[in-house]
Amino acid sequence: MVEIFENIRKIYTFRDACPELADHIEFFSESSFEATRQHIDGEYFSVKMFPSWTPTFYINLGAPYEMAVSNKRCCIGADEDVLILRNSIVERFNSPTDNIFTVKFYPGGLEAVLNIKQHTFIDKVINLNDVLPPQLLQKVKQQRTFDERVEIMQNFFLANYHKKRDHYLTFVRDTIETYSATGLQFNNSDLAEKMFTTSKTINRYFNNVVGTSPKNYFSIMRARTALTGYVSDKGSFTPFEYGYYDMSHFYKDVIKFTGQRLVEHMI
């Protein structure tokens, strides 16, 4: 399965974060045995995900599996839980009996909630025991239901979350929202003017919080958004709505973002 080109969400159960954490956590999810049996034909399969710069916890509730991060294939044991930044293409190799509980943060969300800077995890697979208390992870695994696991994680986050307004984090989040609200059209200079600052400042803040330049992050954001729109409705897709000059410009960005050509996924 390939993210965006296919609906990889159909084999998971999802839940949004509570209002206090909604600005920082995109969702909680858990793989579903029933949905996997319904939608996956075969014993083994893989899920390929494209860059997003969203720190993600993978808490293993089932069997060992493998994950490829930055072209390096890693074996994840049955008792092993990991954190990845998703700054590059990630592929997880699965079987229908896998059971993974996931927490996906927005860019900068991990720092906002747990005061952990995400740029230190670029191209790494981090043992989650180095980030979270091992007792917490064991408690999560001992629960019977997805909702119970979500509640335990949220209670931990809320207990450790101090509602201070960090200038760097707030600025980056506001800049991302501005870029999205203006139709993905602005370049770095436009955003600097809109945010009443300089391009140099935006660049410094993004590298500090996200771990990459605003140019790279917004290129990924635009490609991800545009490709989702294209796959959803090819007939009405217009590249200009996403800040592209023409379809050729869009096609080139898709290849840069996914490493794949659109023709490979045409039906």
Side-chain angles (χ1 to χ4, degrees):
M1 301 178 70
V2 181
E3 182 188 21
I4 302 179
F5 292 112
E6 299 176 73
N7 179 18
I8 68 173
R9 296 174 67 95
K10 64 189 177 183
I11 62 173
Y12 299 92
T13 300
F14 287 87
R15 182 170 155 185
D16 293 333
C18 63
E20 296 89 341
L21 298 170
D23 285 341
H24 310 301
I25 296 176
E26 185 173 346
F27 60 71
F28 298 89
S29 70
E30 187 169 310
S31 51
S32 166
F33 292 126
E34 294 76 14
T36 300
R37 282 198 298 268
Q38 179 182 353
H39 296 290
I40 301 299
D41 181 22
E43 185 174 356
Y44 296 99
F45 65 102
S46 69
V47 175
K48 181 173 288 188
M49 299 169 287
F50 302 122
S52 60
W53 292 88
T54 51
T56 306
F57 294 166
Y58 291 88
I59 299 176
N60 196 355
L61 308 173
Y65 64 93
E66 293 187 332
M67 179 183 289
V69 178
S70 297
N71 297 318
K72 183 184 297 183
R73 195 150 168 165
C74 306
C75 296
I76 312 299
D79 297 322
E80 190 174 1
D81 312 304
V82 298
L83 159 64
I84 61 172
L85 180 52
R86 288 193 57 184
N87 61 286
S88 60
I89 291 176
V90 173
E91 188 166 10
R92 192 164 69 81
F93 303 90
N94 319 266
S95 74
T97 57
D98 286 350
N99 193 8
I100 310 292
F101 176 76
T102 306
V103 185
K104 185 181 179 186
F105 293 83
Y106 288 115
L110 188 60
E111 182 175 356
V113 176
L114 296 178
N115 197 30
I116 299 172
K117 291 186 175 295
Q118 68 178 54
H119 66 76
T120 61
F121 303 131
I122 293 174
D123 292 332
K124 295 179 182 178
V125 178
I126 302 297
N127 191 315
L128 206 47
N129 282 299
D130 296 335
V131 176
L132 299 177
Q135 313 93 280
L136 172 69
L137 294 171
Q138 287 305 312
K139 188 175 181 180
V140 168
K141 295 180 181 186
Q142 290 166 0
Q143 304 311 302
R144 297 177 57 190
T145 69
F146 171 56
D147 285 337
E148 288 172 336
R149 283 186 272 277
V150 171
E151 289 305 311
I152 288 173
M153 290 301 295
Q154 286 200 135
N155 289 338
F156 172 79
F157 292 146
L158 290 170
N160 289 273
Y161 174 44
H162 301 289
K163 298 180 181 179
K164 65 175 183 178
R165 288 182 61 83
D166 182 282
H167 176 64
Y168 281 82
L169 295 172
T170 302
F171 180 88
V172 167
R173 186 173 67 245
D174 290 348
T175 304
I176 292 172
E177 290 176 356
T178 298
Y179 180 73
S180 179
T182 52
L184 314 179
Q185 305 284 336
F186 282 5
N187 59 31
N188 216 32
S189 297
D190 295 329
L191 284 169
E193 182 177 349
K194 193 78 173 178
M195 300 301 293
F196 304 102
T197 188
T198 65
S199 298
K200 185 176 180 179
T201 295
I202 290 182
N203 191 69
R204 184 173 73 253
Y205 282 19
F206 265 77
N207 277 284
N208 182 279
V209 171
V210 182
T212 191
S213 69
K215 180 179 180 180
N216 183 52
Y217 177 78
F218 288 129
S219 175
I220 288 171
M221 182 177 174
R222 179 171 66 172
R224 177 179 288 277
T225 305
L227 182 56
T228 299
Y230 176 85
V231 171
S232 176
D233 190 353
K234 299 181 182 66
S236 63
F237 177 81
T238 303
F240 314 107
E241 292 182 2
Y242 302 93
Y244 290 106
Y245 305 125
D246 51 30
M247 286 299 292
S248 177
H249 185 200
F250 168 62
Y251 290 149
K252 290 178 181 177
D253 224 23
V254 169
I255 294 173
K256 179 180 177 182
F257 170 55
T258 69
Q260 302 179 32
R261 296 165 58 89
L262 283 176
V263 68
E264 297 175 30
H265 298 274
M266 297 290 190
I267 299 178

